[in-house]
Amino acid sequence: MDKEKLKKQIESAYSMITGVYVKGADAKRMAMAMQNLENAFAELDKPDEPPAKEGKTKPEKKSEVADG
């Protein structure tokens, strides 16, 4: 799924949650759910980072000293 579709789904879920009346301990849970949606949306807005280069080490030098 592309980022724009994900953003629309997050926005839709956020809109549905904001229309629900809750109180007590449930209000805190709902606020946490909304915060998670906001965080996910913010992550989607970040530019894509190039993949990290793995195994970027110097090749081992062979010893020129012979055993024996």
Side-chain angles (χ1 to χ4, degrees):
M1 189 176 295
D2 69 355
K3 283 187 175 187
E4 289 306 313
K5 284 185 179 181
L6 288 172
K7 286 180 184 181
K8 286 182 181 183
Q9 286 188 334
I10 291 170
E11 287 174 347
S12 175
Y14 192 88
S15 294
M16 285 186 262
I17 288 174
T18 57
V20 176
Y21 177 76
V22 292
K23 61 181 182 176
D26 291 333
K28 186 172 183 177
R29 286 189 194 102
M30 190 65 77
M32 290 171 63
M34 291 172 70
Q35 184 63 53
N36 286 343
L37 288 171
E38 291 172 9
N39 293 345
F41 194 88
E43 284 295 318
L44 285 173
D45 270 348
K46 287 183 179 177
D48 292 333
E49 295 181 11
K53 293 181 181 178
E54 294 183 24
K56 191 176 179 182
T57 60
K58 293 181 180 178
E60 291 183 31
K61 287 187 175 182
K62 291 184 179 180
S63 175
E64 298 196 15
V65 176
D67 289 337

